[in-house]
Amino acid sequence: WKKGEGMQDIVYKVMVDGQFASVFHKTQRTPSDLGTAYVDIFRIANGLIVEHWAVGQPVSPKISARHNMF
């Protein structure tokens, strides 16, 4: 991201199990933007990322505290 664009990435959770790591995060272009929720999954071997998968979806305005995306 370029300086001054206001883009931010908020990391909510990082989980590691053996050779796999998952990062749950949300990006927002502006503070009023609901953002996009992502999960990135990495497979690590010999200290290097050897595979990467990602999935994302826009954050819905209908999310409740009881059933949030994170």
Side-chain angles (χ1 to χ4, degrees):
W1 301 304
K2 295 177 184 171
K3 187 175 181 176
E5 281 187 336
M7 187 83 157
Q8 71 174 0
D9 192 345
I10 303 164
V11 176
Y12 288 93
K13 187 184 300 182
V14 176
M15 299 186 316
V16 178
D17 184 15
Q19 63 181 340
F20 294 97
S22 301
V23 179
F24 295 78
H25 61 108
K26 177 175 79 170
T27 61
Q28 289 178 279
R29 294 191 179 277
T30 64
S32 62
D33 176 26
L34 291 175
T36 303
Y38 290 98
V39 177
D40 286 279
I41 303 166
F42 303 93
R43 185 171 71 84
I44 302 161
N46 298 319
L48 300 172
I49 296 170
V50 294
E51 293 185 74
H52 171 245
W53 303 271
V55 63
Q57 77 177 54
V59 175
S60 171
K62 297 180 181 181
I63 292 174
S64 71
R66 185 171 178 208
H67 300 286
N68 63 37
M69 295 181 80
F70 301 98

